[in-house]
Amino acid sequence: MSAGPDGPEDRLRRFATIWSRAVFPVTSTSSTRPEFEEQLLPLARRLSDALRARTFDADAGKAVGAALVAAHCTDPEALSRSLDCVDAYLVLYCGTDGDQEDLRARSARLQHAMAAGFAQALRERTLAEQEAISAAALKAQGVVAQALHATEARFRAVFEGAAIGIGIADLDGKVLQVNGALLRMFGLSENTIRSRNVMEWTHPEDAPQTWKLYDELVRGEREHYHVEKAFYRPDGTVLWTNLTVSLLRDADGNPQYQLALMEDTTERRLLNLRLRYEATHDALTGLPNRTFFFERLEKALNAGEGQRFGLCYLDLDGFKTVNDSLGHAAGDRLLVEVADRLQSCATAPGEMVARLGGDEFVALTTGPDTEREVDELASRIMNALIAPISVDGRELTVRGSIGIVEGPAGERSPAEVLRSADITMYRAKSAGGNRFELADPVADAHAITRHGLTTALPTALDRGEFFIEYQPLVNLGDGSVRGAEALVRWLHPQHGILGPDRFIPLAEHTGLIVPLGRWVLEQSVRQAREWRERHDDAGPLRINVNLSPCQLTHPGLVQDTVDILERAGVAPDALCLEVTESALIGADDDLLKPLRRLAEMGVDIALDDFGTGYSNLANLRRLPVSILKLDRSFTQGMQQFPADPVDLKIVEGIVSLAHSLSLAVTVEGVETGAQAEQLRILGCDTAQGWYYARPGPPERLHELALVDATG
């Protein structure tokens, strides 16, 4: 199926066209420009696939770099132009449907991989050329006398025409011959180079084994060696080379000369350093980025015995408001200023600051005494943010929340450390922000478990992991069972049975509370129908179901309830919906309207946890409730005899008020017989608690109701 006029294939073709036009003038090829474009098209497709792949593959970039060498794009300018094209146009033409910041970061990594692949292929090509030259030199030394003139002529042609630098010296290091390429690389005359000794060409960045290998070669203990070596030019600049030195022996096999072959890698090295910098530093602030930070953190965590680390994870408070009100350009200028201030805080050895992305920064300190140093670093950061920042003529106050993790090296992975710091930072933000908190393993474990439960919630309902337990509601007047409250539980595969306090807040946060609440209501109403069918002689049994604040605002609450009752064939008076007092404090008519409609249908509405919300008692008159559920805190003083007289007066007053408003009173948390008797005397209507029964399966209510019916 062909793409449209502006489909992916057309955009890929335009990218290949731009690339070929940029690189063709510096390519040694007999192909025409359109033919060269056809060669680049599969390379462009491979870059496009790597850009949009689910996981990044550096080998794709390396393969493209190597393919450029195979296509005779060996001039360093060809690589530079190719990287410029990838940087400017790859995301533009091949990454239109992804996160642009992520795609640009991946493009930078592809450029780095291309440069590495190009360098490797060019080095292999050069080494092959060097080996050919070495073979020619050896052959020239060992031919028979009658063919000496012709062989030397061929060697001279290779020697003078080679693009790499060639020099021959004796075993004492005196330079005997050099070719024009080597003279151009060093910027020296032949006489000047021949006046110097090889041993004089040392450089501070020479690898430790460089001169050891040289000594072994001139002693005849090795035939050749290959190193990366730097040389000083006359103007003070540095020439970087791939240097291969081979030993030439005479006809009897005795060491006679040394042959040096040099490839100038200065531009390629500078290009790699630039690409490395761009790949490891944030483009906006210039700070080390996430990649560089993780490298340093991993090194710090593997530092060995006796070493410690300290990490500060900073997130700016209210940064989104700056972007929303002043625009992203102003937000970027704010981030640059914050980065400069943070950079000034990391002054001691072993300290660094990095930007992870957005408005998140990290500061790292290492050494044997980070317990003290990380606190000082966090204090410096907080102090650095005190002064307002001027952006577009506005003085902006910047605050931040910091999570601190400190500990010995070798115990945790970088991912674990950063996760702990992130959790701690959000704990600081939840505490009001503009502060720093120290990591707490217990709090970390709780947050990790909370996150795991949150991610598992959406599928738990589909897998049938929820179930309902029922706690009986007992009539205080005659002790009969009048119904039960439905209490949902989660049978988690790893954590076992979880109570609603562990997952209901998470369900409310994620929005799952609506389908979960609908499921609980449906299951409970079905159970109510079964109870009524089995125990009709004991009087109608009612089911109480809790409603969360999120369910109250859901537009389908009334219709869902009606549909569930009708499908189950249950009358509305079999259902009581419990709503917490705090959810109805200050509720307007729009929020109360669905409750009023349900109450008008015959569904009872109970005001749960009454007495904890500090609401105006006069509000009871406007609420569509028929039952008050008195919070257990009011009746705890009645568990012992004699009861607390203050508690008695308070409960007596609430019961009197409720009855005067035609409201029934239910008490929860009844645990002793003395408590139950006192509540009966005070006029409470129904009660629930462990004195009667703990929450359990529906069969237990069958048993209690049966006992009640038979006396």
Side-chain angles (χ1 to χ4, degrees):
M1 180 177 179
S2 61
D6 193 31
E9 190 65 25
D10 297 285
R11 294 195 294 271
L12 185 67
R13 171 68 71 173
R14 286 201 293 274
F15 171 63
T17 301
I18 294 171
W19 189 4
S20 67
R21 287 173 178 168
V23 177
F24 184 74
V26 293
T27 301
S28 301
T29 178
S30 59
S31 304
T32 64
R33 210 280 306 161
E35 291 172 339
F36 182 64
E37 179 181 324
E38 291 301 318
Q39 288 182 274
L40 292 184
L41 185 58
L43 304 185
R45 180 172 288 108
R46 186 156 190 182
L47 289 175
S48 175
D49 293 342
L51 179 72
R52 296 178 287 105
R54 177 170 297 181
T55 58
F56 178 74
D57 181 11
D59 290 340
K62 292 179 180 178
V64 171
L68 288 176
V69 175
H72 307 290
C73 303
T74 56
D75 192 306
E77 183 66 20
L79 175 62
S80 180
R81 293 188 181 189
S82 294
L83 295 175
D84 288 342
C85 284
V86 172
D87 184 52
Y89 300 107
L90 180 62
V91 174
L92 179 65
Y93 285 108
C94 304
T96 57
D97 55 350
D99 182 277
Q100 295 299 295
E101 184 175 348
D102 288 344
L103 290 173
R104 283 193 293 272
R106 181 170 283 195
S107 174
R109 295 174 68 187
L110 279 174
Q111 295 170 54
H112 189 270
M114 282 179 61
F118 183 92
Q120 179 65 26
L122 190 60
R123 181 178 298 110
E124 292 172 357
R125 181 184 177 122
T126 303
L127 288 175
E129 184 179 354
Q130 290 173 346
E131 290 176 1
I133 294 170
S134 295
L138 291 170
K139 189 174 182 181
Q141 297 291 323
V143 294
V144 294
Q146 61 267 34
L148 182 60
H149 179 74
T151 304
E152 287 184 347
R154 287 195 298 271
F155 174 73
R156 178 58 55 186
V158 174
F159 185 82
E160 293 298 341
I164 63 173
I166 308 174
I168 300 176
D170 62 21
L171 298 183
D172 294 326
K174 182 181 178 181
V175 179
L176 302 177
Q177 289 182 317
V178 292
N179 70 348
L182 190 142
L183 295 176
R184 289 189 295 274
M185 287 164 58
F186 277 85
L188 294 171
S189 66
E190 183 174 358
N191 289 334
T192 302
I193 287 185
R194 293 181 64 175
S195 67
R196 299 185 63 180
N197 190 286
V198 172
M199 297 294 292
E200 299 175 17
W201 281 328
T202 61
H203 190 275
E205 296 196 40
D206 285 344
Q209 74 273 20
T210 298
W211 293 103
K212 178 178 179 292
L213 294 172
Y214 175 81
D215 290 339
E216 292 175 356
L217 182 131
V218 297
R219 290 198 304 265
E221 297 172 3
R222 68 169 50 246
E223 296 302 314
H224 57 82
Y225 67 88
H226 178 80
V227 294
E228 185 178 29
K229 176 157 173 44
F231 297 88
Y232 282 120
R233 291 192 178 102
D235 60 1
T237 59
V238 177
L239 166 69
W240 280 93
T241 68
N242 278 329
L243 172 65
T244 300
V245 183
S246 300
L247 181 65
L248 302 180
R249 298 178 183 271
D250 61 18
D252 297 326
N254 298 315
Q256 189 173 19
Y257 302 108
Q258 51 178 311
L259 173 70
L261 308 176
M262 298 182 187
E263 176 199 4
D264 185 351
T265 61
T266 306
E267 289 188 13
R268 194 160 69 237
R269 181 182 176 87
L270 292 175
L271 179 62
N272 280 333
L273 289 174
R274 178 174 69 84
L275 289 173
R276 167 66 180 169
Y277 180 87
E278 292 177 355
T280 57
H281 285 74
D282 177 53
L284 176 65
T285 64
L287 291 177
N289 62 10
R290 177 183 289 269
T291 300
F292 192 5
F293 167 73
F294 265 93
E295 290 177 2
R296 283 288 301 274
L297 179 59
E298 186 167 13
K299 183 178 179 182
L301 295 176
N302 295 320
E305 189 175 351
Q307 296 298 304
R308 303 181 70 86
F309 75 95
L311 185 146
C312 298
Y313 191 116
L314 167 70
D315 183 272
L316 300 182
D317 297 334
F319 177 73
K320 184 177 183 298
T321 304
V322 176
N323 275 341
D324 292 345
S325 59
L326 301 181
H328 287 274
D332 287 348
R333 287 191 287 274
L334 177 66
L335 291 175
V336 170
E337 176 62 26
V338 168
D340 290 342
R341 295 188 183 187
L342 296 180
Q343 187 68 64
S344 67
C345 296
T347 55
E351 293 182 349
M352 74 167 294
V353 172
R355 182 189 179 205
L356 296 185
D359 61 332
E360 296 178 339
F361 299 85
V362 284
L364 177 68
T365 182
T366 58
D369 191 26
T370 54
E371 291 177 277
R372 173 184 54 83
E373 292 171 356
V374 72
D375 285 342
E376 294 177 354
L377 180 58
S379 297
R380 290 199 299 273
I381 292 173
M382 298 299 290
N383 290 332
L385 297 178
I386 290 177
I389 295 177
S390 179
V391 176
D392 294 341
R394 301 171 185 264
E395 294 290 320
L396 300 181
T397 300
V398 181
R399 296 290 183 265
S401 300
I402 298 177
I404 298 176
V405 178
E406 193 278 336
E411 292 187 355
R412 286 178 280 184
S413 69
E416 289 171 335
V417 169
L418 201 65
R419 180 175 61 181
S420 178
D422 186 36
I423 291 170
T424 308
M425 179 273 292
Y426 276 106
R427 185 152 47 87
K429 194 176 286 288
S430 298
N434 192 30
R435 58 189 293 145
F436 59 82
E437 295 279 351
L438 295 175
D440 177 5
V442 176
D444 283 2
H446 179 74
I448 293 169
T449 301
R450 178 184 174 90
H451 175 73
L453 294 178
T454 301
T455 56
L457 264 173
T459 56
L461 185 58
D462 295 334
R463 291 196 300 261
E465 294 178 3
F466 292 101
F467 67 97
I468 300 174
E469 291 187 327
Y470 300 89
Q471 186 170 39
L473 287 162
V474 177
N475 186 303
L476 284 170
D478 57 14
S480 62
V481 176
R482 306 314 306 152
E485 180 180 0
L487 300 170
V488 64
R489 305 287 190 254
W490 182 2
L491 181 56
H492 193 277
Q494 284 80 40
H495 300 290
I497 297 177
L498 303 178
D501 58 313
R502 294 287 302 277
F503 62 86
I504 290 298
L506 305 182
E508 291 177 336
H509 179 71
T510 59
L512 187 70
I513 191 64
V514 173
L516 177 60
R518 187 184 302 118
W519 178 84
V520 171
L521 181 61
E522 188 168 13
Q523 297 297 314
S524 301
V525 167
R526 288 178 181 174
Q527 188 59 58
R529 179 191 63 192
E530 183 177 342
W531 283 335
R532 290 199 165 194
E533 290 174 350
R534 294 181 61 178
H535 304 289
D536 187 56
D537 55 340
L541 298 179
R542 186 182 65 199
I543 187 71
N544 286 29
V545 179
N546 292 280
L547 284 184
S548 78
C550 294
Q551 291 175 273
L552 286 177
T553 59
H554 188 261
L557 172 62
V558 175
Q559 190 60 52
D560 284 346
T561 305
V562 170
D563 292 344
I564 289 171
L565 290 171
E566 289 182 350
R567 283 198 301 269
V570 174
D573 63 0
L575 175 63
C576 175
L577 296 177
E578 298 188 9
V579 185
T580 61
E581 181 186 19
S582 58
L584 295 183
I585 291 177
D588 56 19
D589 287 339
D590 289 337
L591 184 64
L592 297 177
K593 187 179 297 181
L595 292 180
R596 288 199 178 100
R597 290 183 57 191
L598 290 169
E600 290 166 357
M601 290 166 40
V603 174
D604 282 325
I605 307 297
L607 192 61
D608 196 12
D609 296 335
F610 181 76
T612 61
Y614 305 104
S615 60
N616 189 336
L617 294 178
N619 283 336
L620 289 175
R621 300 184 62 181
R622 55 185 290 269
L623 299 179
V625 299
S626 55
I627 301 169
L628 289 187
K629 286 197 73 175
L630 195 59
D631 186 72
R632 68 182 63 212
S633 61
F634 288 98
T635 62
Q636 285 178 341
M638 300 181 191
Q639 293 180 6
Q640 303 297 328
F641 184 84
D644 188 316
V646 175
D647 287 345
L648 291 175
K649 287 293 184 183
I650 293 175
V651 174
E652 184 180 16
I654 293 176
V655 172
S656 175
L657 172 66
H659 287 169
S660 68
L661 295 174
S662 300
L663 302 177
V665 177
T666 297
V667 183
E668 55 186 358
V670 178
E671 298 182 8
T672 67
Q675 191 179 12
E677 177 60 20
Q678 191 65 65
L679 291 170
R680 183 191 66 78
I681 294 172
L682 291 174
C684 296
D685 301 289
T686 54
Q688 64 186 93
W690 288 7
Y691 172 66
Y692 302 104
R694 293 174 181 247
E699 292 77 13
R700 182 177 301 172
L701 196 78
H702 295 328
E703 298 168 1
L704 291 172
L706 186 61
V707 170
D708 172 49
T710 59

